[in-house]
Amino acid sequence: RFSLLLLNLEEYYFEQHTANHIVNKGCRGERKFRGSLKICSKSIIFEPDDNVQPIIKIPLRDCISIKAPEDNEANNPFTRDTSGGISVVCNQVFLIKERNIIAPYKTVRGRTEHLFQLDVAGKVGDVVQTLHQLYRASCLDKMGDQAAMITAILQSRLARTSFDKNRFQSISETLHMECKAEMVTPLVTNPGHVCVTDANLYFQPLNGYPKPVVQITLQNVRRIYKRRHGLMPLGLEVFCTENDLCSDIYLKFYNYQDRDELYFLIATYLENHITEHTAESYMLQWQRGHISNYQYLLHLNNLADRSCNDLSQYPVFPWIIADYSSSVLDLTKPETFRDLSKPIGALNKERLDRLLTRYQEMPEPKFMYGSHYSSPGYVLFYLVRVAPEYMLCLQNGKFDHADRMFNSLAETWKNCLDGATDFKELIPEFYESDSSFLVNNLKLDLGKRQGGKMVEDVELPPWASGPDDFLQKSQEALESQYVSEHLHEWIDIIFGYKQKGSEAVMAHNVFHPLTYEGGVDLNSIMDPNEKVALLTQILEFGQTPKQLFTTPHPRRIVPKLRSLSRTSSHSVSIAESPVSPNEESFEDLTEESITLAWNNIAKLKLDEQYKIHKEAITGIAVTCNGSSVFTTSQDSTLKMFSKESKTIQRSVSFSNMALSSCLILPGDTTVISSSWDNHIYFYSIAFGRQQDILMGHDDAVSKICWRDGCLYSASWDSTVKVWHCVPGETSSNKKHHFELLAELEHDVSVNTIDLNAANTLLASGTKEGTITVWDVSTATVLHQTERLHLLFGVVSLAFFFCADSRHLLSAGEDCCFKVIDVQTGMLISSVTAEEPQRCFKWDGNTILSGSQSGELLIWDLLGGKVVERIKGHTGAVMSMWMNEQCNRVITGGEDKQIMFWKLQY
């Protein structure tokens, strides 16, 4: 029945002794109750073995005397049966869990004496000495002085003990580190010793509670997070699961060096086993629909220091549903949902106006809301029916007033909209499958409301047939299309760029300065009493999550429903339908074949290879029918290779300078090549001769693209130029006509460019690693990511488009792949390779890249790892072409060869 929740906040449990509690000593009605005497830093607790009897808690500050019988009394044969006895006289005592029922504590006031007889009489002296020490601490006037004295007693006890190495799982284990720490659980911490070996992480509580040692096998660890605990960077949380809400152990250290060393030891072990996930990597998975809205919010909470073991930083989830009165919940109507672009305090305009008036008149530091959206009190408000002992611990043995309890969803939502000081969000439990927190299964006496109604189960909205149905519909709402389209707005407020600064002011999202990370430096406060008071205030008030994003969060990619254009609005049976059931649109078939190809891209096999150039190959272009392959090279030639005859059919040299890239114009009549001699050459396939020259740049042309009659050219002269081209007629020697539409200026040489499918956006990458996204129609910069690849050049980049979202992948000389969300310019993923990747193709999730060493690598972008290596060229892979169905690939290498690859399912 005993638990650490019977202790006060910030109290420690030191030791226990088997003992008898003697009632009415020396009287006719004398009785003995066998049990366990617990010595705690602020109280004495006796837990009887008999469950009917209450647990007795005696606050040390309420004690009048604590003593053992005098020696002469101990030698008196008439009092021999009291040897090992300790007498505690107090003026207040709490009775807890009488008849083993969880209920508010009963307080017995007035002078009473309690006699405890230890089984081991020889320990009486030590126990009394300890109690006297702790009693002196509890009688100190100031909380800071009390805390300092108790900490000194605790540290002395920890210094006199060490981890018991006999607890190792194997005698062959190698010890890497041992230090002092505390195991953190909600509202309480338990001091002891941490030990990490080459195989296990151990924690041994000083008091042996709840068990002698907690052991975690390192091989089972999946995630570790550094945590802020009590505003200090001293916490470490370890998870052995990928998606669970609760961790396997949460440790708080006494200095950050111990915490960081342990983190390093475990992280080093994990490096070879799992990939560490960042907010950006989870964002990419979420955007692509690989993880749900619920899972994404869970991961963001974890990364933002939110933990189920810390009620002042409990995971925060949004109110989603705004309709608690309808008989049917309609998830297709926007008005069913809460406005996710605003914090709770800004949802009611009248209330917000009042708050803003007060905010304007307030002296610095200003804040809009006097309470937070997440605090220990709010968490236990929701969970009191399943965690009543936590509520009793937080509120000094009392439940809240019955009318302030979590009685009804509709009432709670209304109060969050209208209440003067109620701005709370929800907790993850509202979107899980365990509905017990909505039901009074423990038959708790939570009080009587005005009107005489007892507090029982939570009153649900009419659209929910029961607690399980309520949770099911809440989950459906969280994963609905509306929420998927707007969840990024709420993330901006809670975890993102609207959390702090001027954006927070504009979003009406300003809380008390002490709630923010870095709002107060506890180390700078010398007065221990001020420090304790401040810490208590902050922990009870609640804390704002760590800021994860400083730029607008991208939207989720929400697939639109395909329109059923082939059928009318009436249902048509297959027999009546004019469309054959086997007839599919070409687009659908192409989509399916592309997906199939990328799912099997690791089965790419080398089909043929030919050495056709004298230097490295820089560009590849293929005619529509696939019969002719054009390649450019640093040997200054453009070559035409016949796939059928396996021979070079044309070889053209425009100048003595290297060619950098090539492309074939629609209709397969003209090849365009860019050159280091600053020119762009047009070559007629049909007539086998140079057709035109565009002298458009002042330095080497590095890359060209063609879309809808426009040529886009990138150059080392720091520009990208957009040309409108009117094709010439080769037979009449009529030249192309070029009109310069736009010139996109850069600070340094431009290495590469790419266009999106709609021809509205152009991305450019420079030799200093900066990526710029341009609006083609206005020739203006949408986003610029300075030195994304540090000071290394961008080698290659490519857009990926899906529904409303746009992603841009780039590869650099810094050996990194980087993914940018084009809408916001936010870096959402970064993967590091062993060497530079010179070229690539990707489908948004998987990358096929050509490496510096000549291998083809297949990457799982979401997992951030190589899943397959394919032996290829003997030098760097310089260029890559892939057909529309994504089942054939041609690569060109530094080894002067072209290689033909095909998928073999």
Side-chain angles (χ1 to χ4, degrees):
R1 290 191 297 162
F2 172 80
S3 89
L4 296 177
L5 293 168
L6 300 185
L7 278 57
N8 293 356
L9 295 176
E10 304 296 317
E11 183 176 8
Y12 296 111
Y13 164 38
F14 285 137
E15 60 191 55
Q16 69 160 353
H17 302 275
T18 308
N20 289 317
H21 180 212
I22 302 174
V23 180
N24 300 325
K25 171 68 180 163
C27 300
R28 191 173 173 187
E30 179 179 321
R31 295 177 67 191
K32 287 185 180 181
F33 296 102
R34 188 148 186 77
S36 171
L37 185 69
K38 323 279 186 184
I39 310 302
C40 307
S41 59
K42 297 180 182 179
S43 60
I44 303 167
I45 296 175
F46 181 76
E47 178 191 19
D49 293 344
D50 183 355
N51 283 353
V52 174
Q53 296 300 315
I55 293 172
I56 297 168
K57 178 178 179 180
I58 305 170
L60 285 168
R61 69 172 184 274
D62 293 325
C63 289
I64 298 167
S65 72
I66 302 168
K67 62 182 182 179
E70 299 297 331
D71 287 342
N72 59 346
E73 287 185 26
N75 295 329
N76 187 328
F78 296 103
T79 59
R80 225 176 310 170
D81 59 335
T82 62
S83 65
I86 299 172
S87 166
V88 179
V89 179
C90 62
N91 53 31
Q92 180 170 259
V93 66
F94 297 108
L95 304 181
I96 304 168
K97 286 191 181 176
E98 193 168 3
R99 296 188 301 281
N100 210 25
I101 294 170
I102 299 170
Y105 303 170
K106 288 183 181 175
T107 307
V108 178
R109 292 185 176 88
R111 183 186 175 102
T112 54
E113 181 179 7
H114 300 269
L115 185 63
F116 302 102
Q117 189 174 30
L118 305 190
D119 278 11
V120 182
K123 290 187 175 178
V124 168
D126 289 341
V127 171
V128 171
Q129 187 181 354
T130 299
L131 288 173
H132 282 167
Q133 244 186 336
L134 294 169
Y135 171 72
R136 284 196 299 275
S138 69
C139 290
L140 294 170
D141 290 338
K142 295 180 177 177
M143 294 298 292
D145 296 337
Q146 285 185 29
M149 187 169 174
I150 289 170
T151 299
I153 295 168
L154 170 64
Q155 291 300 324
S156 171
R157 283 174 164 257
L158 286 169
R160 295 197 303 268
T161 56
S162 62
F163 187 87
D164 179 5
K165 308 299 189 295
N166 293 321
R167 295 286 180 181
F168 282 179
Q169 291 286 299
S170 164
I171 56 170
S172 62
E173 281 185 66
T174 305
L175 175 66
H176 285 321
M177 177 190 176
E178 182 182 346
C179 67
K180 298 174 289 186
E182 295 176 17
M183 188 166 83
V184 179
T185 51
L187 299 181
V188 288
T189 61
N190 202 10
H193 295 275
V194 168
C195 198
V196 64
T197 69
D198 54 349
N200 294 291
L201 169 67
Y202 298 97
F203 176 76
Q204 187 170 32
L206 189 63
N207 51 33
Y209 179 88
K211 53 184 179 179
V213 71
V214 177
Q215 177 250 328
I216 289 173
T217 306
L218 294 181
Q219 203 172 340
N220 294 338
V221 174
R222 287 292 165 270
R223 294 175 288 148
I224 52 171
Y225 297 100
K226 290 181 180 179
R227 295 283 188 227
R228 264 185 315 157
H229 186 273
L231 300 187
M232 303 287 280
L234 300 173
L236 184 73
E237 194 161 23
V238 179
F239 291 77
C240 291
T241 55
E242 195 52 55
N243 292 310
D244 277 9
L245 184 62
C246 297
S247 64
D248 291 79
I249 194 168
Y250 186 142
L251 296 169
K252 172 202 164 188
F253 296 81
Y254 295 112
N255 59 70
Y256 71 88
Q257 292 93 340
D258 284 346
R259 192 276 303 266
D260 290 351
E261 185 180 348
L262 188 69
Y263 179 89
F264 174 76
L265 286 170
I266 299 177
T268 304
Y269 180 90
L270 296 183
E271 267 177 19
N272 305 317
H273 298 78
I274 62 168
T275 307
E276 185 180 358
H277 287 295
T278 60
E280 288 77 21
S281 68
Y282 284 125
M283 183 203 294
L284 190 60
Q285 292 185 56
W286 172 72
Q287 274 199 290
R288 298 282 167 75
H290 290 259
I291 57 175
S292 64
N293 291 339
Y294 169 82
Q295 288 172 316
Y296 185 45
L297 289 176
L298 210 56
H299 289 310
L300 292 185
N301 272 285
N302 261 322
L303 292 165
D305 276 344
R306 313 303 284 188
S307 166
C308 289
N309 285 308
D310 185 350
L311 295 189
S312 68
Q313 299 189 90
Y314 201 78
V316 57
F317 270 59
W319 282 95
I320 294 294
I321 298 167
D323 176 4
Y324 294 94
S325 58
S326 300
S327 56
V328 176
L329 187 68
D330 187 349
L331 297 180
T332 63
K333 287 163 45 180
E335 52 268 33
T336 298
F337 300 93
R338 164 258 183 107
D339 183 347
L340 287 163
S341 68
K342 297 175 182 176
I344 289 290
L347 292 176
N348 179 333
K349 188 178 184 307
E350 285 181 21
R351 178 177 66 175
L352 179 63
D353 289 343
R354 291 195 301 271
L355 291 167
L356 290 177
T357 302
R358 190 190 69 173
Y359 173 74
Q360 302 299 339
E361 296 167 352
M362 190 182 287
E364 293 293 344
K366 295 175 176 233
F367 54 89
M368 293 175 187
Y369 308 114
S371 64
H372 206 256
Y373 50 78
S374 175
S375 70
Y378 288 160
V379 172
L380 296 177
F381 168 84
Y382 292 126
L383 297 180
V384 64
R385 289 168 178 80
V386 288
E389 291 179 87
Y390 291 88
M391 178 66 89
L392 293 172
C393 177
L394 185 69
Q395 301 202 145
N396 300 314
K398 300 182 184 72
F399 288 132
D400 206 348
H401 188 280
D403 285 302
R404 289 197 296 266
M405 286 280 190
F406 180 31
N407 292 306
S408 152
L409 260 307
E411 276 181 28
T412 303
W413 171 243
K414 185 177 185 305
N415 205 50
C416 287
L417 289 181
D418 302 337
T421 59
D422 194 348
F423 313 108
K424 60 179 169 286
E425 291 280 8
L426 294 183
I427 55 175
E429 283 78 357
F430 279 83
Y431 303 103
E432 294 174 352
S433 53
D434 183 358
S435 62
S436 57
F437 75 100
L438 299 169
V439 185
N440 189 10
N441 286 326
L442 297 175
K443 304 301 176 193
L444 301 166
D445 182 357
L446 297 171
K448 191 179 288 187
R449 303 188 65 184
Q450 287 179 354
K453 189 177 178 184
M454 296 298 293
V455 175
E456 289 294 344
D457 299 347
V458 177
E459 189 181 316
L460 302 172
W463 46 257
S465 62
D468 290 342
D469 184 53
F470 170 76
L471 290 192
Q472 176 65 35
K473 287 188 167 75
S474 296
Q475 289 168 28
E476 289 169 7
L478 179 61
E479 304 303 334
S480 67
Q481 180 156 330
Y482 178 89
V483 174
S484 291
E485 289 173 350
H486 294 277
L487 188 58
H488 64 284
E489 297 171 334
W490 186 81
I491 292 169
D492 283 336
I493 291 167
I494 304 298
F495 303 105
Y497 81 110
K498 291 183 180 178
Q499 190 200 82
K500 295 179 184 176
S502 58
E503 292 287 352
V505 176
M506 286 191 286
H508 305 130
N509 191 38
V510 182
F511 293 86
H512 195 287
L514 292 179
T515 67
Y516 295 93
E517 184 178 23
V520 62
D521 179 8
L522 285 180
N523 288 325
S524 67
I525 301 172
M526 294 297 110
D527 183 347
N529 301 301
E530 186 186 342
K531 185 180 287 190
V532 168
L534 196 61
L535 188 57
T536 303
Q537 179 188 346
I538 292 164
L539 296 183
E540 289 179 0
F541 191 87
Q543 293 173 68
T544 300
K546 181 195 288 182
Q547 190 174 23
L548 298 179
F549 309 106
T550 54
T551 54
H553 190 289
R555 294 180 58 162
R556 193 175 199 191
I557 301 168
V558 182
K560 303 290 186 221
L561 293 172
R562 220 184 276 278
S563 62
L564 303 173
S565 54
R566 294 198 307 261
T567 60
S568 69
S569 57
H570 304 288
S571 62
V572 182
S573 73
I574 291 202
E576 296 169 324
S577 172
V579 180
S580 160
N582 295 323
E583 186 181 316
E584 294 281 353
S585 73
F586 175 72
E587 288 81 3
D588 287 352
L589 286 172
T590 305
E591 251 180 62
E592 283 177 22
S593 65
I594 289 171
T595 304
L596 181 66
W598 276 104
N599 287 343
N600 290 276
I601 201 75
K603 296 175 182 172
L604 209 57
K605 302 293 182 198
L606 181 62
D607 191 26
E608 300 168 279
Q609 62 188 98
Y610 305 96
K611 188 172 181 178
I612 60 172
H613 280 280
K614 294 177 181 175
E615 295 292 341
I617 293 168
T618 56
I620 302 171
V622 182
T623 53
C624 286
N625 60 11
S627 62
S628 298
V629 178
F630 288 85
T631 56
T632 50
S633 168
Q634 289 178 5
D635 66 8
S636 80
T637 62
L638 168 72
K639 293 187 189 282
M640 175 179 164
F641 181 85
S642 168
K643 184 82 169 64
E644 291 166 16
S645 65
K646 302 180 181 8
T647 57
I648 296 171
Q649 294 190 328
R650 308 266 176 89
S651 182
V652 189
S653 187
F654 302 112
S655 74
N656 59 357
M657 298 283 279
L659 298 178
S660 56
S661 67
C662 63
L663 58 84
I664 301 176
L665 292 188
D668 287 351
T669 58
T670 305
V671 179
I672 310 178
S673 301
S674 55
S675 173
W676 286 8
D677 68 2
N678 314 354
H679 302 340
I680 298 166
Y681 295 93
F682 290 70
Y683 175 80
S684 169
I685 298 172
F687 290 88
R689 65 174 182 232
Q690 180 180 308
Q691 192 176 344
D692 216 334
I693 304 177
L694 172 58
M695 293 178 277
H697 287 277
D698 300 324
D699 205 337
V701 183
S702 52
K703 182 77 186 285
I704 51 174
C705 294
W706 177 278
R707 292 285 169 79
D708 293 345
C710 287
L711 176 69
Y712 302 80
S713 57
S715 170
W716 294 355
D717 66 7
S718 309
T719 66
V720 173
K721 293 184 178 180
V722 185
W723 312 85
H724 179 63
C725 298
V726 178
E729 295 172 14
T730 312
S731 56
S732 61
N733 280 333
K734 187 180 176 184
K735 301 288 187 183
H736 282 73
H737 172 67
F738 303 107
E739 178 191 354
L740 181 62
L741 299 179
E743 186 169 330
L744 313 180
E745 294 281 354
H746 297 69
D747 294 334
V748 292
S749 302
V750 183
N751 285 351
T752 184
I753 53 171
D754 188 42
L755 281 151
N756 69 339
N759 306 333
T760 54
L761 300 174
L762 179 140
S764 57
T766 70
K767 76 168 187 180
E768 284 190 351
T770 296
I771 288 179
T772 309
V773 178
W774 303 80
D775 181 327
V776 173
S777 61
T778 59
T780 55
V781 175
L782 286 179
H783 301 290
Q784 187 168 66
T785 314
E786 295 277 348
R787 293 174 170 78
L788 184 70
H789 290 276
L790 302 175
L791 290 173
F792 298 91
V794 180
V795 177
S796 181
L797 45 72
F799 282 100
F800 170 74
F801 286 82
C802 180
D804 299 329
S805 191
R806 310 171 176 89
H807 287 161
L808 175 69
L809 177 66
S810 61
E813 294 283 2
D814 58 355
C815 305
C816 286
F817 282 119
K818 309 264 186 175
V819 181
I820 294 173
D821 180 84
V822 177
Q823 285 178 317
T824 61
M826 181 187 281
L827 174 68
I828 58 174
S829 186
S830 181
V831 178
T832 305
E834 296 166 358
E835 57 181 341
Q837 304 300 300
R838 312 301 317 180
C839 52
F840 64 81
K841 298 291 179 185
W842 74 313
D843 74 335
N845 302 315
T846 306
I847 308 170
L848 171 66
S849 68
S851 69
Q852 181 71 35
S853 62
E855 285 183 311
L856 295 190
L857 302 183
I858 292 151
W859 298 79
D860 170 11
L861 184 57
L862 302 175
K865 59 189 177 188
V866 175
V867 293
E868 191 68 45
R869 293 175 180 272
I870 303 171
K871 192 169 170 55
H873 294 266
T874 52
V877 185
M878 301 294 288
S879 56
M880 183 182 292
W881 171 89
M882 180 182 269
N883 68 342
E884 208 173 311
Q885 286 73 36
C886 305
N887 56 12
R888 290 186 178 273
V889 173
I890 304 173
T891 55
E894 209 171 31
D895 58 3
K896 308 153 196 172
Q897 296 192 89
I898 54 169
M899 292 186 171
F900 293 83
W901 307 82
K902 67 178 181 183
L903 281 182
Q904 294 182 352
Y905 297 116

